[in-house]
């Protein structure tokens, strides 16, 4: 389990009381889960023969970024959207407890899905290619889900992607200043949002995951199917932003991912083509991710932590790449 300042350290007594209160079962075993860097997660086995996943938001005392406040409620919402409006395989949420009466933070109990993280599954190159096709197919499905307002549910929606992205960026810039740091790249990013206002105002409003890394899928070696987990960083916005996580990654322009666009367009209701405009939209999304990584390192890690160093390097390289194209 990755060490992070934001993770809630639940006691055995708290977890047992939570499961008893919600009549899930009597707890027989608790194991820490996952490689996430924000929430705490546990595998909880009960005397009914079933095991569940328990996810717990950071404690109230933890410093989090503006958009991360009440993000767990957002995660439950995105799971419901996928279950109600798609056939995407993802966990069912059995209990949401935002009372903070037993566990002193927002939490929920969900289905424990079968599968392993990709690097633990012993897959072949062909398996990995198929996994990427499945991921692209999942994107076409969530991008069919539309809305009238843009942005994060937990911070309030805006009438266009221009206003939403600017608000999202300014929140991070202000978070950075409140932590005692300046972000010149972040302020430059805000100016570029204004520069491309016309393009951003024309963006369609779609469900965007924005965190579809391989670490957020489970692979079932028996069925060769993938399961989508951890959608808490989703927002209503530009579907182009979801291509960032595909090879060759967040430090490469959209033009290097034509294979993803081609595969996406085979089944997408609304096709996305590589144009100067879509490249601009994509690079602005890269800037937003870069700003997140730049600022979040201050609240999660100590300066000598390898992930702090990774975030600093990644954000700098993402900004440099995107600024050249914007």
């Amino acid at each position: 389990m990755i060490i992070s300042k934001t993770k809630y350290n639940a006691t055995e007594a708290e977890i047992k009381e939570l499961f008893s209160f919600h009549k899930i079962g009597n707890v027989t075993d608790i194991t820490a889960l996952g490689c996430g860097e924000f929430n705490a997660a546990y595998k909880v086995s009960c005397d009914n023969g079933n095991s569940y996943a328990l996810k717990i938001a950071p404690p109230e005392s933890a410093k989090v970024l503006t958009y991360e406040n009440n993000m767990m409620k957002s995660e439950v919402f995105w799971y419901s959207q996928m279950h109600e409006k798609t056939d995407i395989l993802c966990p069912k949420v059995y209990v949401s407890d935002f009372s903070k009466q037993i566990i002193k933070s927002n939490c929920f109990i969900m289905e424990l899905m079968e599968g392993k993280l990709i690097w633990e599954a012993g897959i072949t190159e062909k398996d990995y290619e198929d996994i990427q096709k499945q991921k692209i197919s999942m994107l076409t499905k969530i991008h069919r889900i539309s809305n009238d307002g843009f942005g994060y549910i937990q911070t309030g929606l805006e009438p266009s992607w221009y206003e939403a992205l600017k608000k999202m960026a300014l929140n991070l810039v202000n978070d950075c200043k409140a932590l005692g740091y300046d972000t010149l790249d972040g302020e430059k990013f805000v100016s570029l949002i204004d520069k491309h206002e016309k393009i951003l105002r024309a963006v369609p409003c779609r469900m965007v995951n924005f965190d579809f890394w391989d670490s957020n899928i489970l692979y079932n070696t028996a069925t060769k199917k993938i399961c989508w987990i951890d959608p808490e960083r989703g927002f209503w916005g530009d579907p182009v932003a979801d291509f960032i996580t595909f090879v060759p990654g967040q430090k490469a322009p959209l033009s290097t991912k034509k294979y993803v666009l081609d595969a996406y367009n085979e089944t997408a209701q609304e096709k996305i083509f590589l144009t100067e405009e879509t490249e601009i939209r994509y690079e602005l999304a890269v800037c937003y991710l870069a700003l997140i990584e730049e600022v979040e390192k201050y609240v999660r890690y100590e300066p000598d932590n390898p992930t702090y160093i990774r975030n600093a390097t990644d954000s700098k390289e993402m900004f440099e790449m995107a600024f050249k194209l914007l």
Side-chain angles (χ1 to χ4, degrees):
M1 186 181 248
I2 290 177
I3 302 299
S4 168
K5 292 180 182 178
T6 64
K7 284 195 170 183
Y8 186 103
N9 186 21
T11 66
E12 181 179 329
E14 284 178 315
I15 294 174
K16 286 184 174 180
E17 185 179 352
L18 181 77
F19 274 69
S20 175
F21 179 81
H22 289 292
K23 298 179 171 57
I24 302 294
N26 295 314
V27 173
T28 58
D29 188 64
I30 302 168
T31 307
L33 270 180
C35 57
E37 300 173 12
F38 184 71
N39 299 299
Y42 299 89
K43 175 184 176 181
V44 182
S45 300
C46 294
D47 61 359
N48 58 14
N50 296 324
S51 293
Y52 306 86
L54 167 64
K55 197 163 184 180
I56 308 173
E60 288 186 326
S61 59
K63 287 184 179 180
V64 299
L65 304 177
T66 297
Y67 84 96
E68 293 175 326
N69 282 297
N70 293 316
M71 193 162 64
M72 185 156 281
K73 292 182 180 179
S74 172
E75 178 171 8
V76 172
F77 172 79
W78 294 121
Y79 273 134
S80 72
Q81 290 292 292
M82 287 194 282
H83 276 293
E84 294 168 12
K85 299 178 181 178
T86 78
D87 61 357
I88 291 172
L89 180 63
C90 61
K92 295 176 183 176
V93 176
Y94 297 126
V95 170
S96 300
D97 190 330
F98 302 143
S99 69
K100 303 177 184 177
Q101 294 300 305
I102 299 171
I103 288 181
K104 308 304 180 186
S105 191
N106 290 342
C107 62
F108 67 89
I109 301 166
M110 64 180 171
E111 183 179 9
L112 184 70
M113 306 301 290
E114 292 186 19
K116 297 180 179 180
L117 295 171
I118 287 177
W119 50 87
E120 298 173 344
I123 64 169
T124 65
E125 186 175 333
K126 186 178 181 302
D127 289 333
Y128 189 73
E129 289 177 2
D130 182 61
I131 288 168
Q132 299 312 302
K133 289 178 182 177
Q134 290 186 56
K135 286 176 64 176
I136 292 167
S137 176
M138 286 180 170
L139 285 189
T140 68
K141 293 172 182 177
I142 69 166
H143 292 168
R144 293 171 191 166
I145 304 173
S146 61
N147 196 48
D148 294 330
F150 294 75
Y152 289 110
I153 298 167
Q154 61 269 32
T155 58
L157 302 182
E158 301 296 331
S160 78
W161 183 229
Y162 163 70
E163 281 127 334
L165 185 59
K166 186 170 182 178
K167 176 181 177 180
M168 291 154 68
L170 284 172
N171 279 342
L172 284 168
V173 169
N174 291 333
D175 284 339
C176 195
K177 290 179 179 178
L179 291 163
Y181 302 91
D182 290 322
T183 169
L184 298 180
D185 286 334
E187 291 175 359
K188 182 175 181 179
F189 169 40
V190 173
S191 71
L192 288 169
I193 293 172
D194 285 331
K195 176 183 175 181
H196 297 292
E197 177 180 353
K198 184 177 180 180
I199 290 173
L200 295 175
R201 285 192 180 278
V203 167
C205 186
R206 300 292 179 263
M207 176 180 169
V208 176
N209 177 266
F210 204 58
D211 199 28
F212 205 11
W213 306 100
D214 286 346
S215 57
N216 286 334
I217 65 170
L218 298 175
Y219 181 67
N220 188 317
T221 54
T223 64
K224 294 189 178 296
K225 299 296 182 183
I226 64 174
C227 169
W228 198 337
I229 59 173
D230 296 346
E232 73 263 25
R233 295 182 188 278
F235 53 73
W236 294 112
D238 189 348
V240 171
D242 268 332
F243 294 105
I244 288 175
T245 61
F246 288 88
V247 174
Q250 71 271 39
K251 301 171 190 176
L254 184 61
S255 59
T256 64
K257 303 182 182 184
K258 188 176 182 300
Y259 79 98
V260 182
L261 290 173
D262 289 344
Y264 179 91
N265 288 335
E266 287 180 8
T267 58
Q269 285 185 344
E270 293 178 329
K271 302 186 187 309
I272 298 175
F273 298 104
L274 183 60
T275 65
E276 181 180 357
E277 182 176 300
T278 52
E279 186 72 78
I280 288 170
R281 289 162 53 188
Y282 177 85
E283 298 309 332
L284 289 169
V286 169
C287 286
Y288 180 60
L289 179 59
L291 185 56
I292 289 175
E293 289 204 21
E294 179 187 3
V295 181
E296 74 179 9
K297 69 180 186 289
Y298 298 127
V299 296
R300 291 199 198 172
Y301 316 107
E302 299 298 337
D304 60 350
N305 185 297
T307 312
Y308 182 106
I309 298 166
R310 178 207 68 184
N311 275 27
T313 301
D314 281 357
S315 61
K316 180 177 176 58
E317 292 177 353
M318 279 189 277
F319 274 129
E320 287 177 352
M321 185 276 293
F323 287 163
K324 288 178 182 178
L325 295 169
L326 291 169

